[in-house]
Amino acid sequence: MIRVDGQIVSPGAGGVYNERMVQGYRVWDPYRSKLSALCMLDDSIDLSGTMRVLYLGAANGTTVSHVADYVEVVYAVEFAPRPLRDLLVVAEKRKNIVPIAGDATRPDRYAPYLEEVDLLYQDVAQPDQAGILLKHLPFLTTGGQVILMLKTRSVDIRRTPEEVFAETIERLTEGGLIVQKTFWLEPYHHDHAAIVCEVVK
Ligand code: SAM
């Protein structure tokens, strides 16, 4: 990842959401984007020009736009009409974003639009985040990577973030993933954990 003055940046045309520019790069704010926060906490996270990414929970495309600055193509899945409209505007300008109006609990419905990807990124903030992620493993290439942004309060507000986190790790492991590393995204995002995994194939 490119860093300028200790900030994560991306190399694309600016003006997507009024992001700041520094030395010609788009500043990727870790307080607005969990992926940028993860990169701040782990400098081994990398995106490269040959990567294909499946991004679940694209919202209005702000983080997607930064990812697209680095990789070959991003398949960006979102189901809510309002953010989807903004995502389509972002995708108009970045030709390597494939916006998909789809429900991530039903990947069978958009499978024909996908190809195998190198990175599966999930940020849907739903009760069954682990289950949604596991349904998409068939789209991952051998040796591919998985990043889950777990919003513990969305999974179960009655249990502690630590309990939800532990249960999620167990489910991912049972589902055939090897958890490589985990981070709580403090101080950027409260009660959110990033879980980085690879697939057992
Ligand atoms: N990743 C975004 C970013 O960094 O800019 C923020 C994502 S926001 C926390 C979660 C998004 O997931 C929302 O836009 C929501 O509509 C979407 N979402 C939730 N459940 C979904 C589902 N089942 N299928 C597709 N999108 C979903």
Side-chain angles (χ1 to χ4, degrees), residues 32-34 55 57-64 77-80 83 102-105 121 123-126 132:
R32 291 190 65 156
S33 167
K34 281 158 242 156
Y55 190 124
N60 53 9
T62 55
T63 297
V64 169
V77 178
E78 173 56 54
F79 77 165
D103 179 349
T105 64
Y121 180 85
D123 183 20
V124 296
Q126 286 278 345
I132 291 172

mmCIF file of all heavy atoms in Angstrom, residues 32-34 55 57-64 77-80 83 102-105 121 123-126 132, ligand 1:
data_model
loop_
_atom_site.group_PDB
_atom_site.id
_atom_site.type_symbol
_atom_site.label_atom_id
_atom_site.label_comp_id
_atom_site.label_asym_id
_atom_site.label_seq_id
_atom_site.Cartn_x
_atom_site.Cartn_y
_atom_site.Cartn_z
ATOM 1 N N ARG A 32 -12.920 6.523 8.254
ATOM 2 C CA ARG A 32 -14.078 6.334 7.375
ATOM 3 C C ARG A 32 -14.110 4.955 6.749
ATOM 4 O O ARG A 32 -15.170 4.532 6.276
ATOM 5 C CB ARG A 32 -14.047 7.385 6.250
ATOM 6 C CG ARG A 32 -14.297 8.779 6.762
ATOM 7 C CD ARG A 32 -14.498 9.723 5.620
ATOM 8 N NE ARG A 32 -15.703 9.428 4.844
ATOM 9 C CZ ARG A 32 -16.343 10.303 4.109
ATOM 10 N NH1 ARG A 32 -15.913 11.546 4.058
ATOM 11 N NH2 ARG A 32 -17.414 9.961 3.434
ATOM 12 N N SER A 33 -12.962 4.310 6.699
ATOM 13 C CA SER A 33 -12.891 3.030 5.991
ATOM 14 C C SER A 33 -12.206 1.988 6.872
ATOM 15 O O SER A 33 -11.066 2.188 7.313
ATOM 16 C CB SER A 33 -12.107 3.199 4.689
ATOM 17 O OG SER A 33 -11.772 1.934 4.164
ATOM 18 N N LYS A 34 -12.887 0.860 7.092
ATOM 19 C CA LYS A 34 -12.288 -0.184 7.934
ATOM 20 C C LYS A 34 -11.061 -0.802 7.257
ATOM 21 O O LYS A 34 -10.124 -1.210 7.934
ATOM 22 C CB LYS A 34 -13.340 -1.267 8.222
ATOM 23 C CG LYS A 34 -14.299 -0.849 9.313
ATOM 24 C CD LYS A 34 -15.597 -1.591 9.251
ATOM 25 C CE LYS A 34 -16.719 -0.634 9.023
ATOM 26 N NZ LYS A 34 -17.910 -1.227 8.421
ATOM 27 N N TYR A 55 -16.216 -7.843 -3.307
ATOM 28 C CA TYR A 55 -16.440 -6.955 -2.177
ATOM 29 C C TYR A 55 -17.916 -7.002 -1.809
ATOM 30 O O TYR A 55 -18.768 -6.560 -2.574
ATOM 31 C CB TYR A 55 -16.017 -5.540 -2.600
ATOM 32 C CG TYR A 55 -15.950 -4.506 -1.497
ATOM 33 C CD1 TYR A 55 -14.787 -3.796 -1.257
ATOM 34 C CD2 TYR A 55 -17.060 -4.210 -0.711
ATOM 35 C CE1 TYR A 55 -14.721 -2.842 -0.250
ATOM 36 C CE2 TYR A 55 -17.000 -3.258 0.292
ATOM 37 C CZ TYR A 55 -15.824 -2.574 0.513
ATOM 38 O OH TYR A 55 -15.777 -1.626 1.502
ATOM 39 N N GLY A 57 -20.992 -5.780 0.508
ATOM 40 C CA GLY A 57 -21.343 -4.639 1.355
ATOM 41 C C GLY A 57 -20.632 -3.395 0.863
ATOM 42 O O GLY A 57 -19.937 -2.703 1.606
ATOM 43 N N ALA A 58 -20.842 -3.086 -0.410
ATOM 44 C CA ALA A 58 -20.084 -2.003 -1.059
ATOM 45 C C ALA A 58 -20.531 -0.624 -0.606
ATOM 46 O O ALA A 58 -19.802 0.355 -0.768
ATOM 47 C CB ALA A 58 -20.244 -2.121 -2.578
ATOM 48 N N ALA A 59 -21.759 -0.526 -0.070
ATOM 49 C CA ALA A 59 -22.346 0.767 0.322
ATOM 50 C C ALA A 59 -22.236 1.761 -0.843
ATOM 51 O O ALA A 59 -22.451 1.386 -1.999
ATOM 52 C CB ALA A 59 -21.713 1.267 1.610
ATOM 53 N N ASN A 60 -21.862 3.005 -0.546
ATOM 54 C CA ASN A 60 -21.856 4.002 -1.630
ATOM 55 C C ASN A 60 -20.552 4.028 -2.418
ATOM 56 O O ASN A 60 -20.333 4.920 -3.232
ATOM 57 C CB ASN A 60 -22.175 5.391 -1.081
ATOM 58 C CG ASN A 60 -21.259 5.741 0.065
ATOM 59 O OD1 ASN A 60 -20.298 5.020 0.332
ATOM 60 N ND2 ASN A 60 -21.540 6.831 0.753
ATOM 61 N N GLY A 61 -19.684 3.055 -2.147
ATOM 62 C CA GLY A 61 -18.523 2.890 -3.018
ATOM 63 C C GLY A 61 -17.282 3.676 -2.619
ATOM 64 O O GLY A 61 -16.333 3.739 -3.403
ATOM 65 N N THR A 62 -17.252 4.238 -1.420
ATOM 66 C CA THR A 62 -16.061 5.024 -1.062
ATOM 67 C C THR A 62 -14.837 4.112 -0.904
ATOM 68 O O THR A 62 -13.823 4.310 -1.579
ATOM 69 C CB THR A 62 -16.291 5.880 0.207
ATOM 70 O OG1 THR A 62 -16.705 5.028 1.257
ATOM 71 C CG2 THR A 62 -17.342 6.938 -0.024
ATOM 72 N N THR A 63 -14.958 3.088 -0.055
ATOM 73 C CA THR A 63 -13.818 2.162 0.089
ATOM 74 C C THR A 63 -13.580 1.415 -1.220
ATOM 75 O O THR A 63 -12.431 1.236 -1.641
ATOM 76 C CB THR A 63 -14.073 1.162 1.242
ATOM 77 O OG1 THR A 63 -14.172 1.894 2.461
ATOM 78 C CG2 THR A 63 -12.948 0.155 1.361
ATOM 79 N N VAL A 64 -14.655 1.022 -1.882
ATOM 80 C CA VAL A 64 -14.519 0.316 -3.171
ATOM 81 C C VAL A 64 -13.675 1.143 -4.141
ATOM 82 O O VAL A 64 -12.820 0.607 -4.853
ATOM 83 C CB VAL A 64 -15.915 0.040 -3.784
ATOM 84 C CG1 VAL A 64 -15.794 -0.441 -5.225
ATOM 85 C CG2 VAL A 64 -16.672 -0.987 -2.957
ATOM 86 N N VAL A 77 -20.812 -5.832 -4.410
ATOM 87 C CA VAL A 77 -22.195 -6.258 -4.178
ATOM 88 C C VAL A 77 -22.840 -5.378 -3.106
ATOM 89 O O VAL A 77 -22.274 -5.183 -2.023
ATOM 90 C CB VAL A 77 -22.234 -7.739 -3.717
ATOM 91 C CG1 VAL A 77 -23.660 -8.183 -3.428
ATOM 92 C CG2 VAL A 77 -21.580 -8.637 -4.765
ATOM 93 N N GLU A 78 -24.031 -4.868 -3.416
ATOM 94 C CA GLU A 78 -24.767 -4.031 -2.457
ATOM 95 C C GLU A 78 -26.255 -4.242 -2.714
ATOM 96 O O GLU A 78 -26.667 -4.376 -3.855
ATOM 97 C CB GLU A 78 -24.371 -2.557 -2.655
ATOM 98 C CG GLU A 78 -25.153 -1.548 -1.859
ATOM 99 C CD GLU A 78 -25.146 -1.794 -0.346
ATOM 100 O OE1 GLU A 78 -24.068 -1.914 0.250
ATOM 101 O OE2 GLU A 78 -26.238 -1.877 0.227
ATOM 102 N N PHE A 79 -27.054 -4.271 -1.622
ATOM 103 C CA PHE A 79 -28.486 -4.514 -1.853
ATOM 104 C C PHE A 79 -29.400 -3.334 -1.534
ATOM 105 O O PHE A 79 -30.570 -3.358 -1.914
ATOM 106 C CB PHE A 79 -28.963 -5.799 -1.180
ATOM 107 C CG PHE A 79 -29.199 -5.756 0.317
ATOM 108 C CD1 PHE A 79 -29.912 -6.782 0.929
ATOM 109 C CD2 PHE A 79 -28.735 -4.730 1.112
ATOM 110 C CE1 PHE A 79 -30.138 -6.787 2.287
ATOM 111 C CE2 PHE A 79 -28.947 -4.722 2.481
ATOM 112 C CZ PHE A 79 -29.651 -5.744 3.062
ATOM 113 N N ALA A 80 -28.908 -2.317 -0.852
ATOM 114 C CA ALA A 80 -29.794 -1.208 -0.464
ATOM 115 C C ALA A 80 -29.851 -0.166 -1.595
ATOM 116 O O ALA A 80 -28.815 0.262 -2.099
ATOM 117 C CB ALA A 80 -29.305 -0.574 0.824
ATOM 118 N N PRO A 83 -27.600 3.556 -1.247
ATOM 119 C CA PRO A 83 -26.158 3.487 -1.512
ATOM 120 C C PRO A 83 -25.837 2.940 -2.896
ATOM 121 O O PRO A 83 -24.844 3.347 -3.522
ATOM 122 C CB PRO A 83 -25.613 2.570 -0.411
ATOM 123 C CG PRO A 83 -26.778 1.930 0.226
ATOM 124 C CD PRO A 83 -27.969 2.794 -0.041
ATOM 125 N N GLY A 102 -27.293 -6.921 -5.500
ATOM 126 C CA GLY A 102 -27.583 -8.287 -5.082
ATOM 127 C C GLY A 102 -27.585 -8.418 -3.578
ATOM 128 O O GLY A 102 -26.997 -7.605 -2.866
ATOM 129 N N ASP A 103 -28.251 -9.466 -3.114
ATOM 130 C CA ASP A 103 -28.313 -9.783 -1.696
ATOM 131 C C ASP A 103 -27.218 -10.810 -1.405
ATOM 132 O O ASP A 103 -27.232 -11.912 -1.973
ATOM 133 C CB ASP A 103 -29.699 -10.358 -1.393
ATOM 134 C CG ASP A 103 -29.852 -10.756 0.061
ATOM 135 O OD1 ASP A 103 -28.848 -10.795 0.802
ATOM 136 O OD2 ASP A 103 -31.003 -11.036 0.452
ATOM 137 N N ALA A 104 -26.295 -10.453 -0.541
ATOM 138 C CA ALA A 104 -25.137 -11.321 -0.280
ATOM 139 C C ALA A 104 -25.520 -12.636 0.401
ATOM 140 O O ALA A 104 -24.680 -13.535 0.497
ATOM 141 C CB ALA A 104 -24.098 -10.574 0.556
ATOM 142 N N THR A 105 -26.763 -12.761 0.858
ATOM 143 C CA THR A 105 -27.182 -14.063 1.390
ATOM 144 C C THR A 105 -27.566 -15.018 0.254
ATOM 145 O O THR A 105 -27.793 -16.188 0.480
ATOM 146 C CB THR A 105 -28.391 -13.928 2.362
ATOM 147 O OG1 THR A 105 -29.517 -13.439 1.625
ATOM 148 C CG2 THR A 105 -28.076 -13.007 3.519
ATOM 149 N N TYR A 121 -13.682 -9.855 0.298
ATOM 150 C CA TYR A 121 -13.750 -8.847 1.370
ATOM 151 C C TYR A 121 -15.219 -8.690 1.749
ATOM 152 O O TYR A 121 -16.066 -8.497 0.886
ATOM 153 C CB TYR A 121 -13.192 -7.522 0.845
ATOM 154 C CG TYR A 121 -13.201 -6.400 1.859
ATOM 155 C CD1 TYR A 121 -12.160 -6.257 2.773
ATOM 156 C CD2 TYR A 121 -14.245 -5.478 1.898
ATOM 157 C CE1 TYR A 121 -12.167 -5.234 3.703
ATOM 158 C CE2 TYR A 121 -14.253 -4.454 2.830
ATOM 159 C CZ TYR A 121 -13.209 -4.340 3.724
ATOM 160 O OH TYR A 121 -13.210 -3.318 4.645
ATOM 161 N N ASP A 123 -18.055 -6.814 4.369
ATOM 162 C CA ASP A 123 -18.358 -5.754 5.343
ATOM 163 C C ASP A 123 -19.859 -5.483 5.303
ATOM 164 O O ASP A 123 -20.283 -4.374 5.004
ATOM 165 C CB ASP A 123 -17.554 -4.491 4.962
ATOM 166 C CG ASP A 123 -17.739 -3.357 5.955
ATOM 167 O OD1 ASP A 123 -18.158 -3.616 7.101
ATOM 168 O OD2 ASP A 123 -17.447 -2.201 5.585
ATOM 169 N N VAL A 124 -20.661 -6.511 5.579
ATOM 170 C CA VAL A 124 -22.106 -6.322 5.415
ATOM 171 C C VAL A 124 -22.859 -5.953 6.690
ATOM 172 O O VAL A 124 -24.028 -5.579 6.620
ATOM 173 C CB VAL A 124 -22.819 -7.543 4.775
ATOM 174 C CG1 VAL A 124 -22.347 -7.791 3.368
ATOM 175 C CG2 VAL A 124 -22.692 -8.778 5.628
ATOM 176 N N ALA A 125 -22.233 -6.040 7.860
ATOM 177 C CA ALA A 125 -22.905 -5.655 9.107
ATOM 178 C C ALA A 125 -24.278 -6.322 9.258
ATOM 179 O O ALA A 125 -25.304 -5.663 9.377
ATOM 180 C CB ALA A 125 -23.031 -4.128 9.176
ATOM 181 N N GLN A 126 -24.273 -7.645 9.233
ATOM 182 C CA GLN A 126 -25.503 -8.434 9.369
ATOM 183 C C GLN A 126 -25.319 -9.454 10.477
ATOM 184 O O GLN A 126 -24.182 -9.793 10.811
ATOM 185 C CB GLN A 126 -25.775 -9.189 8.061
ATOM 186 C CG GLN A 126 -26.267 -8.323 6.936
ATOM 187 C CD GLN A 126 -27.747 -8.050 7.026
ATOM 188 O OE1 GLN A 126 -28.460 -8.717 7.765
ATOM 189 N NE2 GLN A 126 -28.205 -7.054 6.293
ATOM 190 N N ILE A 132 -22.591 -15.720 5.684
ATOM 191 C CA ILE A 132 -22.567 -15.039 4.376
ATOM 192 C C ILE A 132 -21.190 -15.193 3.738
ATOM 193 O O ILE A 132 -21.057 -15.475 2.546
ATOM 194 C CB ILE A 132 -22.952 -13.553 4.543
ATOM 195 C CG1 ILE A 132 -24.429 -13.432 4.914
ATOM 196 C CG2 ILE A 132 -22.637 -12.752 3.288
ATOM 197 C CD1 ILE A 132 -24.883 -12.030 5.280
HETATM 198 N N1 SAM B 1 -17.826 -1.261 3.059
HETATM 199 C C1 SAM B 1 -18.423 0.042 3.087
HETATM 200 C C2 SAM B 1 -17.320 1.072 3.109
HETATM 201 O O1 SAM B 1 -16.251 0.824 3.684
HETATM 202 O O2 SAM B 1 -17.509 2.125 2.504
HETATM 203 C C3 SAM B 1 -19.376 0.190 4.253
HETATM 204 C C4 SAM B 1 -20.356 -0.951 4.331
HETATM 205 S S1 SAM B 1 -21.694 -0.723 5.460
HETATM 206 C C5 SAM B 1 -20.986 -1.029 6.998
HETATM 207 C C6 SAM B 1 -22.581 -2.199 5.192
HETATM 208 C C7 SAM B 1 -23.277 -2.261 3.843
HETATM 209 O O3 SAM B 1 -23.691 -3.595 3.623
HETATM 210 C C8 SAM B 1 -24.531 -1.394 3.773
HETATM 211 O O4 SAM B 1 -24.459 -0.540 2.669
HETATM 212 C C9 SAM B 1 -25.657 -2.409 3.597
HETATM 213 O O5 SAM B 1 -26.734 -1.957 2.784
HETATM 214 C C10 SAM B 1 -24.920 -3.566 2.957
HETATM 215 N N2 SAM B 1 -25.572 -4.867 3.168
HETATM 216 C C11 SAM B 1 -26.066 -5.357 4.328
HETATM 217 N N3 SAM B 1 -26.571 -6.573 4.139
HETATM 218 C C12 SAM B 1 -26.386 -6.879 2.836
HETATM 219 C C13 SAM B 1 -26.710 -7.999 2.044
HETATM 220 N N4 SAM B 1 -27.317 -9.081 2.563
HETATM 221 N N5 SAM B 1 -26.389 -7.977 0.738
HETATM 222 C C14 SAM B 1 -25.754 -6.910 0.197
HETATM 223 N N6 SAM B 1 -25.422 -5.802 0.900
HETATM 224 C C15 SAM B 1 -25.739 -5.791 2.207
#
